[in-house]
Amino acid sequence: MYKNEIPMTFPKNFLWGGATAANQMEGAWNEDGKGLTTAEVVKKSQNPLEMSANDVSMNTIKVAMSDMTDKMYPKRRGIDFYHHYQEDIKLFAEMGFKAFRLSIAWARIFPNGDDKEPNEAGLKFYDHIFDECHRYGIEPVVTISHYEMPLNLTLKQNGWFSRKTIANFTHYTETLFKRYQGKVKYWMTFNEINAITGGFTATGSVDDQLSLNQQSQLRYQAVHHQFVASALAVEQCHKIDPKAKIGCMLARMETYPKTPNPIDVRANQLQDQLNLFFTDVQVRGEYPEFMNRYFLENNIKIDMDPEDEKIIKHGVVDYLAFSYYMSSVVDATQKPEKFNGELLGDGKNPYLETSDWGWQIDPIGLRITLNELWDRYRIPLFVVENGLGAKDKLTSDHKVHDQYRIDYLKKHIIQMKEAIKDGVNLMGYTTWGPIDLISAGTSEMSKRYGFIYVDQDDEGNGSLKRYRKDSFYWYQKVIASNGEDLS
Ligand code: BGP
């Protein structure tokens, strides 16, 4: 719509805050009736540049189940948020958070995933968290499934590969919407639903014995079941709590063609389509045409029930949330070696710096992405993850001078503001890991994102004491000034 003015800054009710996930922070993995989850059988990486989360087989699961310690399985201990949540939420409030993104551990509510009755102790735990948030005027933003599910569903039916999991999930979601009606205004169904390269982490399906093509087949089938489950959850949510909003969540990586050669430009376009396929389904309510060709040429056949298309059409989301950490370059001549849900190009960009974990830092890419997503979907956008994983040093007087983190975040906030001036409808920004937590990809503790330092090392040694970093006071100012004071 033509107007002779542009928004000059962040909207008034902008949701500033931080984002976390249950399996990376709660700990208390075997307390109060909770069942074992898929995240708790993933070993920590031996090499920090490799994601151990992708390395799961039936055999490694068996080994994990016979080991009832958290030594090799850091996601079992998290940062013990389960027992520190009051202290932690108070610190978030001190920073001025308007929103706190967290996930619910399905296995706290339904320990086996297919139980008839929910576990009251699990439900209560999240009641306490939401009440605590509201005490400080913090809006909880809740991910229903963030890289974990009850392990029993893997053992019994190979996770999301099975259609049966849809019914288990809708029982879980219905329980949540009824219980937390009025307490949770913002929901999200699946974290990074497009991250199927993550295999087991994303789908709870074991596929190590399969060929690459069979893996692709299984993962796309699993994600189809997630699409249906997500759409059903959207419908339930709208019905049970019409005031609540429910979104989808995408791992967004901006990609660029390596050169202006049209073959690179086209390869990049395909990469982008394969990334946006997931949001096309969840926002537009249908499989996009370009996937027909992709599936056909890659021998992938999606098994759909006759009613699936209708369900997907009805269950379109209210907003689009996404994580953004980096960008990448697509080179048409490079053949992908491993399975690639073709999510990520991993080409190097000579114009960008990288983090210690090789992630290419690209704040302008965030503005580009925001514009692209807004142009394509025209629904509110929410940046629900962004941040720098770095090695921090705690000084003897318990300070952390993390100017590098401030620099990273500042540059991204500047670009979000540019996007708002471009006309993008952006509803909020929750940085990843406002308090240090266990890494999703490698299970390290030393890959820290937080404004709050947690005294724990990769082996789980430490007092678990929380300390404010320099970035804590910086973010406090950012929020208080609604993004104006970035100094
Ligand atoms: C996203 C996940 C988060 C998170 C983040 C950082 O993909 O949604 O769970 O942890 O990435 O990744 P990592 O922890 O591996 O550094």
Side-chain angles (χ1 to χ4, degrees), residues 24 51 146-147 191-192 325 359 385 432 438-442 447 449:
Q24 294 170 253
M51 304 239 185
H146 191 130
Y147 287 166
N191 182 62
E192 298 189 336
Y325 293 91
W359 294 16
E385 284 185 34
W432 176 251
I438 307 290
S439 149
T442 65
K447 189 178 186 188
Y449 288 86

Side-chain angles (χ1 to χ4, degrees), residues 194-476:
N194 56 319
I196 56 174
T197 37
F200 181 73
T201 298
T203 61
S205 308
V206 177
D207 57 14
D208 61 304
Q209 302 292 325
L210 304 179
S211 67
L212 291 187
N213 178 257
Q214 289 168 325
Q215 282 185 2
S216 283
Q217 167 70 44
L218 177 137
R219 292 174 188 194
Y220 277 108
Q221 185 62 54
V223 98
H224 173 72
H225 294 148
Q226 292 183 339
F227 286 148
V228 175
S230 175
L232 288 168
V234 169
E235 268 201 277
Q236 280 176 337
C237 178
H238 287 158
K239 214 187 223 157
I240 297 170
D241 193 354
K243 285 201 183 122
K245 300 273 177 227
I246 181 158
C248 59
M249 200 297 201
L250 178 80
R252 180 61 176 158
M253 179 183 288
E254 190 54 43
T255 59
Y256 309 117
K258 185 164 184 203
T259 71
N261 185 337
I263 62 164
D264 281 340
V265 176
R266 168 57 202 160
N268 180 56
Q269 182 180 51
L270 176 63
Q271 184 92 337
D272 204 40
Q273 286 177 323
L274 293 171
N275 187 206
L276 295 174
F277 153 56
F278 299 85
T279 33
D280 279 359
V281 176
Q282 294 185 288
V283 179
R284 293 172 164 170
E286 56 192 31
Y287 272 60
E289 286 81 10
F290 55 78
M291 287 311 283
N292 295 337
R293 176 168 185 182
Y294 179 79
F295 287 145
L296 211 71
E297 290 179 351
N298 288 280
N299 294 320
I300 294 166
K301 196 168 174 308
I302 307 295
D303 206 358
M304 291 198 194
D305 270 17
E307 73 273 19
D308 286 2
E309 286 190 304
K310 218 162 106 200
I311 294 173
I312 287 173
K313 193 83 209 166
H314 281 157
V316 295
V317 292
D318 302 318
Y319 63 93
L320 193 171
F322 66 97
S323 61
Y324 178 84
Y325 293 91
M326 57 185 142
S327 68
S328 180
V329 165
V330 177
D331 173 353
T333 61
Q334 229 174 38
K335 276 265 161 285
E337 281 160 24
K338 299 188 202 148
F339 166 81
N340 59 345
E342 281 74 27
L343 170 61
L344 317 170
D346 54 5
K348 290 271 161 288
N349 186 331
Y351 300 97
L352 300 178
E353 288 177 1
T354 58
S355 78
D356 289 348
W357 277 263
W359 294 16
Q360 302 192 105
I361 301 168
D362 181 11
I364 294 176
L366 176 56
R367 176 180 179 187
I368 297 171
T369 267
L370 282 163
N371 271 280
E372 283 174 351
L373 294 176
W374 172 245
D375 283 349
R376 192 175 180 106
Y377 298 120
R378 316 301 288 185
I379 61 170
L381 304 178
F382 195 167
V383 178
V384 291
E385 284 185 34
N386 173 239
L388 179 70
K391 289 211 158 88
D392 288 336
K393 204 168 158 295
L394 187 69
T395 62
S396 52
D397 56 348
H398 299 131
K399 304 256 184 313
V400 177
H401 303 305
D402 56 343
Q403 188 59 40
Y404 39 89
R405 181 166 293 111
I406 295 173
D407 291 343
Y408 176 102
L409 295 172
K410 189 192 292 183
K411 288 180 188 156
H412 285 81
I413 294 173
I414 289 172
Q415 294 303 323
M416 285 193 307
K417 197 164 156 187
E418 291 302 319
I420 289 171
K421 289 189 194 172
D422 293 334
V424 170
N425 181 349
L426 181 61
M427 56 192 271
Y429 178 64
T430 54
T431 65
W432 176 251
I435 182 165
D436 295 342
L437 36 68
I438 307 290
S439 149
T442 65
S443 290
E444 288 165 288
M445 185 68 211
S446 47
K447 189 178 186 188
R448 296 172 183 272
Y449 288 86
F451 304 115
I452 301 162
Y453 184 92
V454 176
D455 179 27
Q456 178 175 239
D457 67 14
D458 286 337
E459 269 59 57
N461 308 307
S463 64
L464 287 175
K465 276 205 176 130
R466 278 63 169 151
Y467 299 105
R468 296 165 185 81
K469 303 182 193 176
D470 289 355
S471 56
F472 180 100
Y473 302 103
W474 172 81
Y475 200 43
Q476 195 176 47

